[in-house]
Amino acid sequence: MRIFRNAPLLTQGRFIVATLGVTQIIGYGTLYYSFSPLAASMGQEFGWPSDWVFGAFSASLLASGLASPWVGRWIDRFGAGRIMAIGSIGAAIALLACALSPNAIVFVIGLVVIELASTFVLYNAAFALLVQIKPTTAKTSITHLTLIAGFASTIFWPVTTALHEHLTWREVYYVFAAAHLLFCLPIHFWLARLSRNHLELAIKAAMPIVEGTLPTDRVRMGFVLMVSGFALLGFINAAILIHMLPILAALGLGSVSVLVGTLFGPAQVASRLFSLVSGNRLQPLSLAIISTGLMSSAIAILLWSGNWLTGALAFAVIFGLGSGLSSIAQGTLPLALFGSMGYGERVGQSTAVRLVASSAAPFVFAFIMHWLGIGPSLLVCVAVGCLAAASFALIGRQLRIRPEETVSAAG
């Protein structure tokens, strides 16, 4: 990769996005999407019901959420590339620890460490890296990255299922640990070295920063509304994605549930491709509002259609479209509203709240589905999605408020 050190910045930037895309596919595929296909076997081995297994996963997401603000500050201080390299080693160790766990307690600890490692290597760190390299083009670079990484579920749901047909869940985790060491670590190590390159530092120092669109006196309220919206979105996204295959099976679509689930990834990619070819004309706030509408509508369609295959296919596609746009908004909306200064820390704080909400989703959804059935659990997700849309819409009002209105309200 040394040949890219002195390459033109545009070519080098494309290569950075491409290689980051590979690590994001592996990262999301092994640390997040693989859990659902393996959860049943994990529960059987430890004698746990499904809601206990997903409760352990929720605890691990909670731990990663609480750690996110610190990781964000470290990204700003030490550079995203170095943090991601450390995270690759941590992810491999965590997967091995979980695979070698002799009992349920060590298994839960392993899950927690896996999700802690994910805060070092997934979107937040990758988005921060793109902002640190060139903030003025970060919006487009983030869209490119999410376009590539959108294949994670499409690749790793069937890959994990296929591996598990021949390997135990522990052996699958061995394979995933090797992937982090053999593929992700070299790429992240290169990015860490690149971030220390004197030429890059000189170019980066000369680049203008991106200013936020929110006036100073409305930054706090805008941040609270943004975090609330993403937290609510994170809840329904985690609840549906982690339980997608069990949900489809419960509706009588078990034989084709994996096929339906694999449409989610291409739909994510399609929405990101649309955003890309449209020249990113849609503002990040509009993307956030549209994404909430699509995700809520998709769940409503699944609730209405029941075991109708066409309805399930429409659900997977529409939910994937909304989730794809949401991923872009998570990276671009903080940059648009608050600017590039302190981006890593601010995104870390936002992610902390979002992951705390997401951490409750698998357990809460499993609990509701177990005691009340699939219908009420899906209806709860629709209602949460509507609240998320309202939060983002209120940010738009903050942008439209005139200064004299603020003074009048204060008086």
Side-chain angles (χ1 to χ4, degrees), residues 19-277:
T19 53
L20 269 179
V22 173
T23 70
Q24 294 305 288
I25 288 175
I26 295 173
Y28 272 102
T30 59
L31 304 177
Y32 190 81
Y33 289 117
S34 67
F35 185 80
S36 185
L38 300 177
S41 296
M42 294 171 175
Q44 289 175 2
E45 179 171 333
F46 293 111
W48 285 359
S50 61
D51 50 353
W52 282 33
V53 178
F54 285 107
F57 188 70
S58 294
S60 66
L61 289 176
L62 175 61
S64 66
L66 296 175
S68 291
W70 281 272
V71 177
R73 285 192 285 269
W74 294 338
I75 287 172
D76 284 337
R77 181 177 179 182
F78 301 110
R82 186 180 299 179
I83 293 299
M84 296 182 81
I86 295 172
S88 294
I89 299 172
I93 293 174
L95 287 164
L96 288 174
C98 202
L100 294 170
S101 56
N103 53 55
I105 295 176
V106 179
F107 167 74
V108 173
I109 294 173
L111 281 182
V112 170
V113 179
I114 285 174
E115 294 309 315
L116 286 175
S118 73
T119 64
F120 286 72
V121 298
L122 297 183
Y123 270 163
N124 293 332
F127 292 163
L129 176 70
L130 296 175
V131 171
Q132 289 173 357
I133 290 174
K134 193 174 182 183
T136 54
T137 62
K139 179 181 176 182
T140 300
S141 297
I142 287 171
T143 303
H144 287 164
L145 178 62
T146 58
L147 179 65
I148 299 171
F151 288 103
S153 61
T154 303
I155 293 173
F156 270 88
W157 269 338
V159 164
T160 303
T161 301
L163 284 174
H164 195 34
E165 291 176 356
H166 304 283
L167 304 173
T168 67
W169 70 266
R170 296 176 183 269
E171 292 168 339
V172 172
Y173 269 13
Y174 293 148
V175 174
F176 290 166
H180 280 274
L181 292 177
L182 296 177
F183 297 102
C184 298
L185 179 59
I187 292 173
H188 292 158
F189 181 72
W190 169 69
L191 291 171
R193 294 186 62 187
L194 178 64
S195 66
R196 297 195 303 268
N197 181 275
H198 294 297
L199 177 61
E200 283 291 314
L201 289 175
I203 295 174
K204 188 164 56 176
M207 289 178 182
I209 64 172
V210 173
E211 298 286 350
T213 55
L214 270 176
T216 305
D217 60 333
R218 287 168 236 153
V219 165
R220 178 173 295 182
M221 178 58 68
F223 185 73
V224 169
L225 290 171
M226 183 193 74
V227 168
S228 299
F230 283 138
L232 294 168
L233 264 188
F235 180 91
I236 61 174
N237 202 46
I240 297 300
L241 286 184
I242 293 299
H243 290 284
M244 182 178 288
L245 300 184
I247 288 171
L248 295 173
L251 291 172
L253 296 162
S255 60
V256 293
S257 58
V258 175
L259 172 63
V260 173
T262 56
L263 294 177
F264 171 80
Q268 275 193 319
V269 173
S271 65
R272 294 162 183 171
L273 183 61
F274 170 78
S275 179
L276 181 64
V277 298

